[in-house]
Amino acid sequence: IYNCMEGDFIYVCMYALREWVAIESDSSNVLKRPDLHRMMETTAQKLRLMGGTVELVDIGEQELPNGQTLALPKVVTATFGTDPNKHTVCVYGHVDVQPAKLEDGWATDPYNLTDINGNLYGRGASDNKAPVLAWIHAVEAYQALSMELPVNVKFVIEGMEETGSNGLDAMILAQRDTFFSDVDYIIISDCGWLSRRPALTYGTRGNCYFFAEVEGPKQDLHSGVYGGTVIEPMTDLIGILGDPSGKILIPGIREAVAPLSDEEWKMYQDIQFDMDSYKNKIGVTQLMYSNKVDLLAHMWRYPTVSVHGIEGAFSDSGSKTVIPAKVTAKFSIRQVPNMDPAMVKKQVTDYLHSVFAKRKSPNKLKVTMVIGAKPWLADTQHPLYEAGKAAVKRVFDMDPDLIREGGTIPIARTFQDVTGKSIIMMPIGGFDDGLHSQNEKMSRYNYIEGTKLFIAYLNEVSQIKKTSV
Ligand SMILES: C[C@H](N)C(=O)N[C@@H](Cc1c[nH]cn1)C(=O)O
């Protein structure tokens, strides 16, 4: 079956990725919502043409910060096979992307898939369009050879992952006893390898994303005319966010974190990870931690805070002498076991208000949590992982790394909690794919070998004894 992944079939894969990357399906930009709807329709059409039973599920509307509402992109569900004697796997993925503009520093147009030396550059190429397509191609490969699928395959493909999977929890809950009732296992390929070695992922961090808005004068002011007379919102904002160490000072957060066990420490110790090539890859000379175990632990299983941007701040080129009247900081705290997003929301809000109160500023502070996604952890002893190791061995002739992911797949925990089914994360993205960054790419190698991995994995899963959940 792998031989069919040559010639025309590879052309079909490349063509599909090019077509998908060309759609600017940025879920964070409301102006791009028509493109996002088109992306969901394109995905549904691809699965329909393959003979799947496809639905575009309406998941309602999203409320915007200004109070207006906007239709959420529909969720695509598809079913290939309903044989009760076979296992049923459900592949989850997303086809929305992070924002990207050529002027951000991309070497090529982010929405025109460009092949340079075997790397396919384009926004969403690795996160998550090529992996979703690779699963689709795996089904297509069986079909192309008129081979029966070894398991029933379902798809759930959404368009809001990058902004927290709005509406998807409710859809999963609503369809728990219908679409999900016969699903045995859930597979997610929305993450990457740690090195050149293939990997299986057994944990993701969650994320709590906050807006902290400081509002002062009724409009922007001339800094020469008003500077020195008003208490500036930006100064307040930097004052409440600023801690030069980059560590989380908020009481209660670090205390909630599950301690690192000896077994985990040993696992991290055994992972091959080169600190120098990591530094080279991101272009820095120094990291927060100088030994491998500390670095991996802080990447995967300790909370971290990142400040992403300040809306309302002057950020264009040039030198405008303005005092912005209202500024909104956007920051997030990655979640790990045993943190609870509802608790974190209270801890962060209380902390910022108490620090702000000490400033005795006349400006107004408003703190909102816009995403509250929980972390996820799997049992690596589950037969799904044994099947994964066998498939990696088959295709790559090596054993996979067992790794965690510092990023978040907001819906993973809901899948596990609501359906009660086991999940495996099987990445095919490269360690240097530049997710969310300039020049995101997917290598041809990972795309095509990744498709082969999925073909092999369907076969391995079919051999799991029917009793394992
Ligand atoms: C891991 C996945 N490819 C990803 O990048 N997910 C996003 C999801 C998210 C979390 N908060 C907001 N979006 C991420 O981890 O940033």
Side-chain angles (χ1 to χ4, degrees):
I1 190 165
Y2 306 123
N3 294 340
C4 88
M5 294 300 304
E6 278 165 15
D8 287 353
F9 200 86
I10 291 195
Y11 177 79
V12 169
C13 300
M14 296 302 156
Y15 183 84
L17 185 57
R18 163 175 291 276
E19 189 190 26
W20 280 24
V21 165
I23 303 176
E24 205 172 330
S25 49
D26 173 355
S27 54
S28 67
N29 183 347
V30 295
L31 300 175
K32 297 289 171 196
R33 194 51 59 89
D35 297 83
L36 191 50
H37 291 310
R38 188 156 57 90
M39 186 68 235
M40 303 322 295
E41 186 46 63
T42 303
T43 306
Q45 184 62 4
K46 169 98 190 151
L47 293 160
R48 270 186 219 116
L49 290 173
M50 289 162 61
T53 306
V54 180
E55 267 190 62
L56 273 160
V57 183
D58 190 342
I59 54 165
E61 290 180 331
Q62 163 188 19
E63 193 176 320
L64 301 176
N66 65 8
Q68 288 179 343
T69 54
L70 187 67
L72 286 164
K74 294 193 167 89
V75 173
V76 179
T77 62
T79 303
F80 292 86
T82 52
D83 184 340
N85 297 315
K86 292 180 183 172
H87 286 304
T88 299
V89 299
C90 175
V91 174
Y92 158 82
H94 68 93
V95 289
D96 60 316
V97 299
Q98 287 275 313
K101 294 197 286 280
L102 188 59
E103 53 275 28
D104 292 341
W106 282 69
T108 58
D109 174 356
Y111 296 101
N112 180 14
L113 191 76
T114 308
D115 185 345
I116 303 174
N117 298 330
N119 285 321
L120 306 164
Y121 291 90
R123 172 55 90 222
S126 182
D127 185 7
N128 181 226
K129 289 180 176 178
V132 170
L133 278 169
W135 275 110
I136 292 175
H137 300 324
V139 173
E140 284 179 316
Y142 279 97
Q143 292 180 333
L145 295 175
S146 305
M147 286 174 73
E148 206 182 309
L149 278 169
V151 293
N152 304 314
V153 181
K154 291 191 164 190
F155 286 93
V156 172
I157 302 171
E158 67 150 326
M160 287 301 282
E161 192 269 353
E162 296 291 4
T163 52
S165 292
N166 321 38
L168 190 57
D169 294 81
M171 179 262 179
I172 294 171
L173 201 57
Q175 302 221 9
R176 182 182 57 187
D177 301 326
T178 50
F179 182 81
F180 292 102
S181 64
D182 58 351
V183 168
D184 296 301
Y185 308 118
I186 291 160
I187 311 174
I188 302 179
S189 300
D190 182 19
C191 32
W193 300 350
L194 183 64
S195 65
R196 296 195 190 280
R197 180 181 280 276
L200 299 175
T201 306
Y202 65 92
T204 51
R205 291 195 289 189
N207 201 15
C208 288
Y209 201 111
F210 291 90
F211 289 178
E213 174 194 287
V214 179
E215 188 170 10
K218 65 179 186 201
Q219 64 193 64
D220 292 354
L221 301 171
H222 186 305
S223 68
V225 177
Y226 296 98
T229 66
V230 290
I231 295 159
E232 301 190 13
M234 183 78 89
T235 314
D236 275 344
L237 191 64
I238 292 167
I240 63 169
L241 290 183
D243 165 49
S245 71
K247 297 203 169 129
I248 302 173
L249 300 179
I250 302 165
I253 292 205
R254 291 193 76 83
E255 290 80 344
V257 175
L260 187 74
S261 67
D262 291 348
E263 195 192 340
E264 248 182 303
W265 194 91
K266 171 89 178 61
M267 265 177 103
Y268 295 179
Q269 189 67 30
D270 291 346
I271 288 176
Q272 274 183 21
F273 178 76
D274 182 32
M275 306 271 285
D276 287 329
S277 62
Y278 183 77
K279 281 192 266 189
N280 282 342
K281 179 185 89 172
I282 52 182
V284 299
T285 52
Q286 194 190 328
L287 297 165
M288 297 267 271
Y289 303 92
S290 55
N291 76 73
K292 181 178 75 175
V293 173
D294 276 340
L295 198 79
L296 291 178
H298 283 86
M299 194 192 289
W300 293 340
R301 54 100 64 229
Y302 286 130
T304 46
V305 63
S306 301
V307 183
H308 307 294
I310 299 183
E311 190 175 323
F314 172 62
S315 63
D316 291 346
S317 56
S319 50
K320 189 177 180 188
T321 48
V322 68
I323 298 172
K326 182 165 94 174
V327 281
T328 308
K330 311 209 168 166
F331 65 95
S332 68
I333 298 179
R334 296 285 170 174
Q335 306 291 298
V336 299
N338 304 321
M339 292 169 76
D340 169 30
M343 181 58 81
V344 171
K345 178 180 177 183
K346 182 169 168 9
Q347 288 162 333
V348 170
T349 310
D350 289 352
Y351 177 76
L352 289 182
H353 277 288
S354 77
V355 178
F356 189 71
K358 289 194 192 117
R359 299 180 68 82
K360 302 202 183 319
S361 169
N363 297 326
K364 286 190 281 304
L365 170 70
K366 189 166 119 198
V367 182
T368 326
M369 186 170 93
V370 291
I371 298 173
K374 292 181 179 171
W376 163 83
L377 205 53
D379 170 13
T380 54
Q381 304 303 316
H382 192 280
L384 275 179
Y385 281 82
E386 291 309 314
K389 288 180 200 168
V392 169
K393 187 85 183 163
R394 172 80 208 251
V395 173
F396 295 98
D397 197 22
M398 60 176 95
D399 297 320
D401 275 333
L402 278 177
I403 62 169
R404 284 165 82 152
E405 159 75 46
T408 304
I409 297 176
I411 209 62
R413 219 6 217 286
T414 304
F415 270 130
Q416 192 162 290
D417 293 349
V418 173
T419 66
K421 303 299 172 188
S422 295
I423 302 175
I424 184 170
M425 293 202 189
M426 180 172 273
I428 58 167
F431 71 98
D432 56 353
D433 280 357
L435 314 180
H436 296 202
S437 173
Q438 295 90 346
N439 305 319
E440 176 180 349
K441 59 97 179 151
M442 179 83 184
S443 72
R444 267 174 177 259
Y445 174 81
N446 281 46
Y447 186 24
I448 300 306
E449 298 308 299
T451 301
K452 292 181 191 172
L453 175 67
F454 296 162
I455 293 169
Y457 191 57
L458 294 179
N459 191 47
E460 293 296 336
V461 171
S462 73
Q463 289 164 44
I464 295 177
K465 286 207 184 71
K466 260 284 190 188
T467 47
S468 303
V469 285

Short mmCIF file of all heavy atoms in Angstrom, two decimals, residues 170-216:
data_model
loop_
_atom_site.label_atom_id
_atom_site.label_comp_id
_atom_site.label_asym_id
_atom_site.label_seq_id
_atom_site.Cartn_x
_atom_site.Cartn_y
_atom_site.Cartn_z
N ALA A 170 -19.80 21.97 23.41
CA ALA A 170 -21.26 21.77 23.42
C ALA A 170 -21.66 20.78 22.33
O ALA A 170 -22.54 19.93 22.53
CB ALA A 170 -21.96 23.10 23.20
N MET A 171 -20.99 20.85 21.18
CA MET A 171 -21.32 19.94 20.08
C MET A 171 -20.98 18.50 20.45
O MET A 171 -21.75 17.56 20.17
CB MET A 171 -20.56 20.39 18.81
CG MET A 171 -20.77 19.53 17.60
SD MET A 171 -19.39 18.38 17.47
CE MET A 171 -19.79 17.44 16.06
N ILE A 172 -19.83 18.31 21.13
CA ILE A 172 -19.43 16.95 21.52
C ILE A 172 -20.42 16.39 22.55
O ILE A 172 -20.86 15.24 22.45
CB ILE A 172 -17.98 16.94 22.08
CG1 ILE A 172 -17.01 17.32 20.97
CG2 ILE A 172 -17.62 15.58 22.66
CD1 ILE A 172 -15.59 17.54 21.45
N LEU A 173 -20.79 17.25 23.48
CA LEU A 173 -21.77 16.84 24.50
C LEU A 173 -23.09 16.46 23.83
O LEU A 173 -23.68 15.41 24.13
CB LEU A 173 -21.97 18.00 25.48
CG LEU A 173 -22.52 17.68 26.85
CD1 LEU A 173 -21.64 16.65 27.56
CD2 LEU A 173 -22.56 18.97 27.69
N ALA A 174 -23.52 17.29 22.88
CA ALA A 174 -24.82 17.05 22.21
C ALA A 174 -24.79 15.77 21.38
O ALA A 174 -25.81 15.11 21.21
CB ALA A 174 -25.17 18.24 21.33
N GLN A 175 -23.62 15.42 20.85
CA GLN A 175 -23.56 14.25 19.94
C GLN A 175 -22.91 13.04 20.62
O GLN A 175 -22.54 12.07 19.96
CB GLN A 175 -22.78 14.62 18.68
CG GLN A 175 -23.40 15.79 17.95
CD GLN A 175 -23.40 15.61 16.44
OE1 GLN A 175 -23.09 14.54 15.92
NE2 GLN A 175 -23.75 16.66 15.72
N ARG A 176 -22.77 13.12 21.95
CA ARG A 176 -22.11 12.01 22.66
C ARG A 176 -22.80 10.67 22.39
O ARG A 176 -22.14 9.66 22.16
CB ARG A 176 -22.12 12.30 24.16
CG ARG A 176 -21.42 11.23 24.97
CD ARG A 176 -21.48 11.51 26.44
NE ARG A 176 -22.86 11.65 26.89
CZ ARG A 176 -23.21 12.01 28.12
NH1 ARG A 176 -22.28 12.30 29.00
NH2 ARG A 176 -24.47 12.11 28.46
N ASP A 177 -24.13 10.68 22.38
CA ASP A 177 -24.85 9.41 22.23
C ASP A 177 -25.25 9.13 20.78
O ASP A 177 -25.99 8.19 20.51
CB ASP A 177 -26.10 9.42 23.13
CG ASP A 177 -25.69 9.61 24.59
OD1 ASP A 177 -24.61 9.11 24.98
OD2 ASP A 177 -26.44 10.30 25.31
N THR A 178 -24.83 9.99 19.87
CA THR A 178 -25.14 9.75 18.45
C THR A 178 -23.82 9.55 17.70
O THR A 178 -23.29 8.44 17.67
CB THR A 178 -25.98 10.92 17.88
OG1 THR A 178 -25.33 12.16 18.22
CG2 THR A 178 -27.39 10.89 18.45
N PHE A 179 -23.24 10.63 17.17
CA PHE A 179 -22.02 10.49 16.37
C PHE A 179 -20.89 9.78 17.12
O PHE A 179 -20.18 8.95 16.56
CB PHE A 179 -21.55 11.88 15.91
CG PHE A 179 -20.32 11.86 15.04
CD1 PHE A 179 -20.42 11.58 13.69
CD2 PHE A 179 -19.05 12.08 15.58
CE1 PHE A 179 -19.28 11.54 12.88
CE2 PHE A 179 -17.91 12.04 14.78
CZ PHE A 179 -18.04 11.78 13.43
N PHE A 180 -20.75 10.09 18.42
CA PHE A 180 -19.62 9.53 19.16
C PHE A 180 -19.92 8.17 19.81
O PHE A 180 -19.03 7.58 20.40
CB PHE A 180 -19.16 10.52 20.25
CG PHE A 180 -18.54 11.76 19.66
CD1 PHE A 180 -19.26 12.95 19.59
CD2 PHE A 180 -17.26 11.74 19.14
CE1 PHE A 180 -18.70 14.09 19.02
CE2 PHE A 180 -16.68 12.87 18.57
CZ PHE A 180 -17.41 14.05 18.51
N SER A 181 -21.18 7.70 19.68
CA SER A 181 -21.56 6.52 20.47
C SER A 181 -20.75 5.27 20.08
O SER A 181 -20.46 4.44 20.94
CB SER A 181 -23.06 6.25 20.33
OG SER A 181 -23.34 5.94 18.99
N ASP A 182 -20.38 5.14 18.82
CA ASP A 182 -19.65 3.93 18.43
C ASP A 182 -18.14 4.17 18.29
O ASP A 182 -17.41 3.30 17.83
CB ASP A 182 -20.22 3.36 17.12
CG ASP A 182 -20.15 4.36 15.98
OD1 ASP A 182 -19.82 5.54 16.23
OD2 ASP A 182 -20.43 3.98 14.83
N VAL A 183 -17.68 5.36 18.71
CA VAL A 183 -16.24 5.65 18.59
C VAL A 183 -15.49 4.90 19.70
O VAL A 183 -15.87 4.96 20.87
CB VAL A 183 -15.99 7.18 18.70
CG1 VAL A 183 -14.51 7.47 18.89
CG2 VAL A 183 -16.54 7.90 17.48
N ASP A 184 -14.44 4.18 19.33
CA ASP A 184 -13.63 3.47 20.32
C ASP A 184 -12.44 4.32 20.77
O ASP A 184 -12.09 4.33 21.94
CB ASP A 184 -13.11 2.15 19.74
CG ASP A 184 -14.26 1.21 19.41
OD1 ASP A 184 -15.01 0.87 20.34
OD2 ASP A 184 -14.44 0.85 18.23
N TYR A 185 -11.79 4.97 19.82
CA TYR A 185 -10.56 5.70 20.14
C TYR A 185 -10.54 7.03 19.39
O TYR A 185 -11.07 7.14 18.28
CB TYR A 185 -9.32 4.90 19.72
CG TYR A 185 -9.31 3.49 20.25
CD1 TYR A 185 -9.32 2.40 19.38
CD2 TYR A 185 -9.31 3.25 21.62
CE1 TYR A 185 -9.31 1.10 19.86
CE2 TYR A 185 -9.30 1.95 22.11
CZ TYR A 185 -9.30 0.88 21.23
OH TYR A 185 -9.31 -0.39 21.72
N ILE A 186 -9.86 8.00 20.00
CA ILE A 186 -9.73 9.32 19.35
C ILE A 186 -8.26 9.56 19.03
O ILE A 186 -7.39 9.28 19.86
CB ILE A 186 -10.32 10.41 20.27
CG1 ILE A 186 -11.85 10.22 20.32
CG2 ILE A 186 -9.99 11.81 19.76
CD1 ILE A 186 -12.53 10.85 21.47
N ILE A 187 -8.02 10.04 17.83
CA ILE A 187 -6.63 10.28 17.40
C ILE A 187 -6.48 11.75 17.03
O ILE A 187 -7.31 12.31 16.30
CB ILE A 187 -6.27 9.43 16.15
CG1 ILE A 187 -6.67 7.96 16.35
CG2 ILE A 187 -4.79 9.55 15.83
CD1 ILE A 187 -6.49 7.10 15.11
N ILE A 188 -5.42 12.36 17.54
CA ILE A 188 -5.17 13.78 17.26
C ILE A 188 -3.73 13.93 16.74
O ILE A 188 -2.80 13.39 17.34
CB ILE A 188 -5.36 14.63 18.54
CG1 ILE A 188 -6.79 14.44 19.08
CG2 ILE A 188 -5.08 16.10 18.27
CD1 ILE A 188 -7.10 15.23 20.37
N SER A 189 -3.59 14.64 15.65
CA SER A 189 -2.24 14.86 15.09
C SER A 189 -2.02 16.36 14.91
O SER A 189 -1.83 16.85 13.80
CB SER A 189 -2.11 14.13 13.74
OG SER A 189 -2.32 12.76 13.92
N ASP A 190 -2.11 17.08 16.02
CA ASP A 190 -2.01 18.54 15.98
C ASP A 190 -0.83 18.98 16.85
O ASP A 190 -0.98 19.84 17.72
CB ASP A 190 -3.34 19.13 16.48
CG ASP A 190 -3.34 20.64 16.42
OD1 ASP A 190 -2.51 21.20 15.70
OD2 ASP A 190 -4.17 21.26 17.12
N CYS A 191 0.32 18.38 16.64
CA CYS A 191 1.49 18.70 17.45
C CYS A 191 2.73 18.28 16.63
O CYS A 191 2.58 17.88 15.48
CB CYS A 191 1.44 17.98 18.79
SG CYS A 191 0.64 16.38 18.79
N GLY A 192 3.90 18.37 17.24
CA GLY A 192 5.11 18.09 16.43
C GLY A 192 6.09 17.19 17.16
O GLY A 192 5.96 16.93 18.35
N TRP A 193 7.07 16.70 16.41
CA TRP A 193 8.15 15.90 16.99
C TRP A 193 9.07 16.84 17.79
O TRP A 193 9.07 18.05 17.59
CB TRP A 193 8.97 15.22 15.90
CG TRP A 193 8.20 14.27 15.01
CD1 TRP A 193 6.92 13.81 15.20
CD2 TRP A 193 8.67 13.66 13.80
NE1 TRP A 193 6.57 12.97 14.18
CE2 TRP A 193 7.61 12.85 13.30
CE3 TRP A 193 9.86 13.71 13.07
CZ2 TRP A 193 7.73 12.11 12.12
CZ3 TRP A 193 9.98 12.98 11.90
CH2 TRP A 193 8.92 12.18 11.43
N LEU A 194 9.90 16.23 18.64
CA LEU A 194 10.85 17.02 19.44
C LEU A 194 12.18 17.18 18.70
O LEU A 194 12.93 18.12 18.92
CB LEU A 194 11.07 16.32 20.79
CG LEU A 194 11.96 17.02 21.79
CD1 LEU A 194 11.33 18.34 22.24
CD2 LEU A 194 12.20 16.13 23.01
N SER A 195 12.46 16.21 17.82
CA SER A 195 13.72 16.22 17.09
C SER A 195 13.44 15.56 15.73
O SER A 195 12.30 15.50 15.31
CB SER A 195 14.76 15.41 17.86
OG SER A 195 14.34 14.05 17.91
N ARG A 196 14.47 15.01 15.11
CA ARG A 196 14.22 14.32 13.83
C ARG A 196 13.60 12.94 14.06
O ARG A 196 13.23 12.25 13.11
CB ARG A 196 15.51 14.18 13.03
CG ARG A 196 16.04 15.54 12.64
CD ARG A 196 17.10 15.50 11.56
NE ARG A 196 17.69 16.82 11.45
CZ ARG A 196 17.15 17.83 10.79
NH1 ARG A 196 16.02 17.68 10.16
NH2 ARG A 196 17.74 19.02 10.77
N ARG A 197 13.56 12.53 15.30
CA ARG A 197 12.99 11.21 15.62
C ARG A 197 11.47 11.33 15.73
O ARG A 197 10.97 12.24 16.41
CB ARG A 197 13.58 10.74 16.96
CG ARG A 197 13.09 9.39 17.42
CD ARG A 197 13.72 9.04 18.76
NE ARG A 197 15.06 8.54 18.62
CZ ARG A 197 15.38 7.28 18.35
NH1 ARG A 197 14.45 6.38 18.23
NH2 ARG A 197 16.62 6.91 18.21
N PRO A 198 10.71 10.41 15.12
CA PRO A 198 9.25 10.45 15.28
C PRO A 198 8.88 10.34 16.75
O PRO A 198 9.65 9.81 17.56
CB PRO A 198 8.78 9.21 14.51
CG PRO A 198 9.88 8.88 13.59
CD PRO A 198 11.16 9.33 14.24
N ALA A 199 7.70 10.83 17.09
CA ALA A 199 7.29 10.86 18.49
C ALA A 199 5.82 10.51 18.63
O ALA A 199 5.04 10.64 17.69
CB ALA A 199 7.53 12.26 19.06
N LEU A 200 5.47 10.06 19.83
CA LEU A 200 4.07 9.94 20.23
C LEU A 200 3.91 10.88 21.42
O LEU A 200 4.78 10.91 22.30
CB LEU A 200 3.73 8.50 20.64
CG LEU A 200 3.91 7.44 19.55
CD1 LEU A 200 3.66 6.05 20.14
CD2 LEU A 200 3.00 7.70 18.36
N THR A 201 2.82 11.61 21.47
CA THR A 201 2.63 12.63 22.49
C THR A 201 1.61 12.14 23.51
O THR A 201 0.54 11.67 23.14
CB THR A 201 2.13 13.93 21.82
OG1 THR A 201 3.06 14.26 20.79
CG2 THR A 201 2.04 15.07 22.81
N TYR A 202 1.95 12.28 24.82
CA TYR A 202 1.02 11.78 25.84
C TYR A 202 0.52 12.88 26.78
O TYR A 202 -0.18 12.59 27.75
CB TYR A 202 1.65 10.63 26.64
CG TYR A 202 2.85 11.03 27.47
CD1 TYR A 202 2.70 11.43 28.79
CD2 TYR A 202 4.12 11.04 26.92
CE1 TYR A 202 3.80 11.82 29.55
CE2 TYR A 202 5.22 11.43 27.67
CZ TYR A 202 5.05 11.81 28.98
OH TYR A 202 6.14 12.21 29.72
N GLY A 203 0.85 14.13 26.50
CA GLY A 203 0.32 15.20 27.35
C GLY A 203 0.36 16.53 26.63
O GLY A 203 1.25 16.77 25.80
N THR A 204 -0.62 17.37 26.91
CA THR A 204 -0.59 18.75 26.40
C THR A 204 -0.87 19.69 27.57
O THR A 204 -1.56 19.31 28.51
CB THR A 204 -1.67 19.02 25.32
OG1 THR A 204 -2.94 18.59 25.82
CG2 THR A 204 -1.36 18.31 24.03
N ARG A 205 -0.34 20.91 27.48
CA ARG A 205 -0.71 21.90 28.49
C ARG A 205 -2.04 22.53 28.08
O ARG A 205 -2.41 22.52 26.90
CB ARG A 205 0.37 22.98 28.60
CG ARG A 205 1.64 22.45 29.20
CD ARG A 205 2.59 23.54 29.65
NE ARG A 205 3.20 24.26 28.55
CZ ARG A 205 4.19 25.14 28.72
NH1 ARG A 205 4.64 25.41 29.93
NH2 ARG A 205 4.73 25.77 27.69
N GLY A 206 -2.75 23.06 29.05
CA GLY A 206 -3.95 23.84 28.74
C GLY A 206 -3.56 25.31 28.61
O GLY A 206 -2.37 25.65 28.62
N ASN A 207 -4.54 26.19 28.50
CA ASN A 207 -4.21 27.61 28.39
C ASN A 207 -5.34 28.48 28.92
O ASN A 207 -6.51 28.24 28.61
CB ASN A 207 -3.95 27.97 26.92
CG ASN A 207 -3.14 29.24 26.76
OD1 ASN A 207 -2.52 29.70 27.73
ND2 ASN A 207 -3.11 29.81 25.59
N CYS A 208 -4.99 29.45 29.75
CA CYS A 208 -5.95 30.48 30.16
C CYS A 208 -5.47 31.79 29.53
O CYS A 208 -4.35 32.23 29.82
CB CYS A 208 -5.99 30.63 31.68
SG CYS A 208 -6.79 29.24 32.47
N TYR A 209 -6.31 32.36 28.67
CA TYR A 209 -5.92 33.56 27.92
C TYR A 209 -6.69 34.75 28.45
O TYR A 209 -7.92 34.71 28.57
CB TYR A 209 -6.23 33.33 26.43
CG TYR A 209 -5.47 34.21 25.48
CD1 TYR A 209 -4.50 33.68 24.64
CD2 TYR A 209 -5.72 35.58 25.41
CE1 TYR A 209 -3.80 34.49 23.75
CE2 TYR A 209 -5.02 36.40 24.53
CZ TYR A 209 -4.06 35.85 23.71
OH TYR A 209 -3.36 36.65 22.83
N PHE A 210 -5.95 35.82 28.78
CA PHE A 210 -6.57 36.98 29.44
C PHE A 210 -6.42 38.26 28.62
O PHE A 210 -5.42 38.44 27.91
CB PHE A 210 -5.88 37.24 30.79
CG PHE A 210 -6.16 36.18 31.81
CD1 PHE A 210 -5.32 35.07 31.92
CD2 PHE A 210 -7.25 36.27 32.64
CE1 PHE A 210 -5.57 34.09 32.86
CE2 PHE A 210 -7.52 35.28 33.59
CZ PHE A 210 -6.68 34.20 33.69
N PHE A 211 -7.40 39.14 28.77
CA PHE A 211 -7.29 40.53 28.33
C PHE A 211 -7.28 41.38 29.60
O PHE A 211 -8.16 41.21 30.45
CB PHE A 211 -8.50 40.97 27.50
CG PHE A 211 -8.61 40.35 26.12
CD1 PHE A 211 -9.69 40.66 25.30
CD2 PHE A 211 -7.65 39.48 25.63
CE1 PHE A 211 -9.81 40.10 24.02
CE2 PHE A 211 -7.76 38.92 24.35
CZ PHE A 211 -8.85 39.23 23.56
N ALA A 212 -6.29 42.26 29.74
CA ALA A 212 -6.30 43.21 30.86
C ALA A 212 -6.34 44.61 30.25
O ALA A 212 -5.38 45.04 29.60
CB ALA A 212 -5.06 43.05 31.73
N GLU A 213 -7.48 45.28 30.44
CA GLU A 213 -7.69 46.58 29.79
C GLU A 213 -7.56 47.70 30.82
O GLU A 213 -8.16 47.63 31.88
CB GLU A 213 -9.11 46.57 29.19
CG GLU A 213 -9.55 47.88 28.60
CD GLU A 213 -11.06 47.87 28.36
OE1 GLU A 213 -11.51 47.19 27.43
OE2 GLU A 213 -11.77 48.55 29.12
N VAL A 214 -6.74 48.71 30.50
CA VAL A 214 -6.67 49.90 31.36
C VAL A 214 -7.16 51.08 30.54
O VAL A 214 -6.64 51.36 29.45
CB VAL A 214 -5.24 50.17 31.89
CG1 VAL A 214 -5.23 51.42 32.77
CG2 VAL A 214 -4.73 48.98 32.70
N GLU A 215 -8.17 51.75 31.09
CA GLU A 215 -8.79 52.86 30.36
C GLU A 215 -8.64 54.14 31.17
O GLU A 215 -8.88 54.15 32.38
CB GLU A 215 -10.27 52.56 30.13
CG GLU A 215 -10.93 53.57 29.23
CD GLU A 215 -12.33 53.14 28.81
OE1 GLU A 215 -12.85 52.16 29.36
OE2 GLU A 215 -12.87 53.82 27.92
N GLY A 216 -8.22 55.22 30.51
CA GLY A 216 -8.02 56.48 31.21
C GLY A 216 -8.76 57.62 30.55
O GLY A 216 -10.00 57.64 30.56
#
